[in-house]
Amino acid sequence: MLSSRDFEVSVITPVYNAENFLRKAVESAVYLEEVGEIILIEDQSPDNALALAVSLEKEFDKVKLFQHPDKKNHGAGASRNLGIQKAGCEYIAFLDADDYYLPNRFVKDKLVFETHDNCHGVYSAVGTHFYTPEAKIQFFEKGFGYQEILTLIDEVTPEELFLVLFNRHQNVKGEFCTNGITVKKSVFEKVGYFNTALKLRQDIHLWRRLAGFCNLYPGEIVTPTAMRGIHASNRMTKVEDHKQYINLWWQSLKKEFKSKQLGKLKYDIFLQAYFNYLAGQPNKIIAVTSLIKNVVKYPSIIRKSYGNFDFNFWKVFGKNGLTLHLISFKNRFLFKNL
């Protein structure tokens, strides 16, 4: 059994423009017995967050404040990477400065690490706190309502998790959030750090890589263990900002999986998801090429009625009367006997 001393967590918090939220975040973590230290990485905040961080370091023994060597702004990914390097505990968790932990944050995590000797990380449910009514309205109007609780709808094995995160699992859907994952520090030697070229979605990028190369187990996936704060300044609801990084996200993920020799089964799952993404591109040359490559690599997908081939065909050529007729003809006659 892991003792409190054996299970000590370094909580890493990037600090940027978070003066109004930082104290709540720190106080939500500092009194948890599993938390050994809270590492604040101040990232040249335009507000008074640095002064508050200095004050919190003086107030709480667990709080340790750092800045980048040049004291300039480097983004959340680089700040988390610096925090990982400064961390002194065997286990790492993350907490954004405008979010907060709940009292049960690490209770299940500790039990899972005790139960599974091969466990590299544990993910748990994260809820949503709306700081203003306007933020809540915007959140739902932009279609993020399904993310009000970030979790998986059911437990899966570490092998199945990769399927879930790339929307290839037949029964289980869902995601987990940065504030809800606890990992061994050693995993970063295996998979690398946050991709600093991605100013957004660098956390999702890393979780996909962890799922590819590590054993991640479900923790408390029903009841939230942390709360994600939504307010007017959240970049997660800025859909157009995310779009500028999406191509780099997919391409760099492919490069990582190939260079680190992801297992063939998982790599094929990734390629199928990648093909689906390319088929939805506005550039029709890319979309058509992707559709052809998909069929050549996975010819059996043509057999299934209203499966990946059909949906990608509609993405490429539009869901109109002609395409519906062609797909219907294919499903009824052309490939009936394949």
Side-chain angles (χ1 to χ4, degrees):
M1 179 177 290
L2 292 173
S3 66
S4 297
R5 178 169 293 183
D6 291 331
F7 187 72
E8 280 195 331
V9 182
S10 293
V11 175
I12 297 168
T13 299
V15 179
Y16 179 79
N17 202 24
E19 177 188 5
N20 295 330
F21 313 106
L22 182 58
R23 174 171 286 277
K24 183 178 181 66
V26 168
E27 290 184 345
S28 73
V30 76
Y31 297 113
L32 299 179
E33 67 173 346
E34 299 91 349
V35 173
E37 60 183 2
I38 302 169
I39 298 177
L40 305 181
I41 306 296
E42 199 281 326
D43 197 26
Q44 199 184 33
S45 297
D47 59 5
N48 293 317
L50 174 57
L52 176 56
V54 170
S55 175
L56 290 168
E57 184 182 35
K58 293 178 180 177
E59 184 176 350
F60 298 108
D61 292 339
K62 288 183 179 181
V63 175
K64 300 175 182 178
L65 173 62
F66 298 94
Q67 293 177 287
H68 294 281
D70 60 5
K71 297 188 178 181
K72 292 183 179 179
N73 176 265
H74 290 263
S79 295
R80 292 186 185 118
N81 289 345
L82 179 59
I84 294 166
Q85 293 161 16
K86 298 292 186 182
C89 299
E90 181 182 355
Y91 298 89
I92 301 285
F94 302 95
L95 178 62
D96 287 350
D98 51 359
D99 303 332
Y100 57 93
Y101 286 157
L102 296 174
N104 63 331
R105 172 61 184 87
F106 297 105
V107 174
K108 189 73 176 286
D109 297 42
K110 182 179 175 182
L111 292 173
V112 174
F113 278 113
E114 286 177 349
T115 304
H116 301 281
D117 292 337
N118 67 339
C119 180
H120 297 112
V122 179
Y123 54 91
S124 297
V126 174
T128 301
H129 172 78
F130 299 100
Y131 281 102
T132 65
E134 292 77 17
K136 184 174 184 178
I137 291 170
Q138 184 184 57
F139 184 84
F140 282 96
E141 283 184 345
K142 292 196 173 183
F144 291 100
Y146 71 98
Q147 292 187 6
E148 191 169 6
I149 296 182
L150 281 164
T151 191
L152 273 63
I153 63 173
D154 202 357
E155 292 191 0
V156 294
T157 65
E159 292 75 21
E160 292 177 290
L161 180 62
F162 195 81
L163 285 162
V164 176
L165 296 184
F166 282 102
N167 298 311
R168 311 298 302 164
H169 199 285
Q170 291 186 346
N171 302 311
V172 179
K173 305 295 181 185
E175 283 275 358
F176 56 83
C177 173
T178 303
N179 300 320
I181 186 166
T182 308
V183 297
K184 290 184 175 179
K185 187 178 179 181
S186 58
V187 301
F188 300 103
E189 299 173 7
K190 185 179 181 69
V191 303
Y193 292 79
F194 290 92
N195 185 327
T196 56
L198 293 167
K199 300 305 179 186
L200 291 168
R201 298 174 62 85
Q202 74 280 141
D203 49 350
I204 303 172
H205 190 273
L206 180 57
W207 311 148
R208 298 297 186 274
R209 286 151 51 204
L210 285 175
F213 297 107
C214 300
N215 295 313
L216 303 183
Y217 284 87
E220 175 49 75
I221 64 170
V222 177
T223 304
T225 61
M227 298 296 284
R228 177 179 56 166
I230 302 298
H231 49 79
S233 300
N234 282 111
R235 294 190 70 186
M236 67 152 288
T237 57
K238 307 293 191 296
V239 178
E240 292 303 317
D241 290 352
H242 286 261
K243 287 182 179 179
Q244 65 180 306
Y245 294 105
I246 191 66
N247 283 331
L248 176 60
W249 191 92
W250 280 101
Q251 291 165 8
S252 60
L253 207 53
K254 184 179 180 182
K255 183 179 179 181
E256 286 278 344
F257 286 151
K258 192 170 184 178
S259 66
K260 290 186 170 66
Q261 299 182 328
L262 183 68
K264 185 180 184 305
L265 180 60
K266 287 183 177 179
Y267 192 64
D268 284 346
I269 291 166
F270 166 75
L271 284 181
Q272 181 68 70
Y274 186 45
F275 286 142
N276 291 346
Y277 161 71
L278 292 175
Q281 293 300 291
N283 185 318
K284 290 304 178 184
I285 295 176
I286 294 176
V288 171
T289 301
S290 171
L291 183 64
I292 294 170
K293 285 183 177 179
N294 205 359
V295 172
V296 170
K297 189 170 182 65
Y298 306 102
S300 63
I301 66 172
I302 299 176
R303 300 180 187 181
K304 186 176 180 182
S305 297
Y306 305 110
N308 266 301
F309 173 80
D310 294 5
F311 288 122
N312 283 337
F313 190 86
W314 289 329
K315 283 181 184 178
V316 174
F317 298 108
K319 198 170 185 178
N320 49 57
L322 177 60
T323 58
L324 288 172
H325 178 76
L326 289 172
I327 289 297
S328 178
F329 178 79
K330 183 270 291 186
N331 289 338
R332 284 183 295 165
F333 303 106
L334 193 57
F335 297 103
K336 184 177 182 181
N337 296 318
L338 281 181

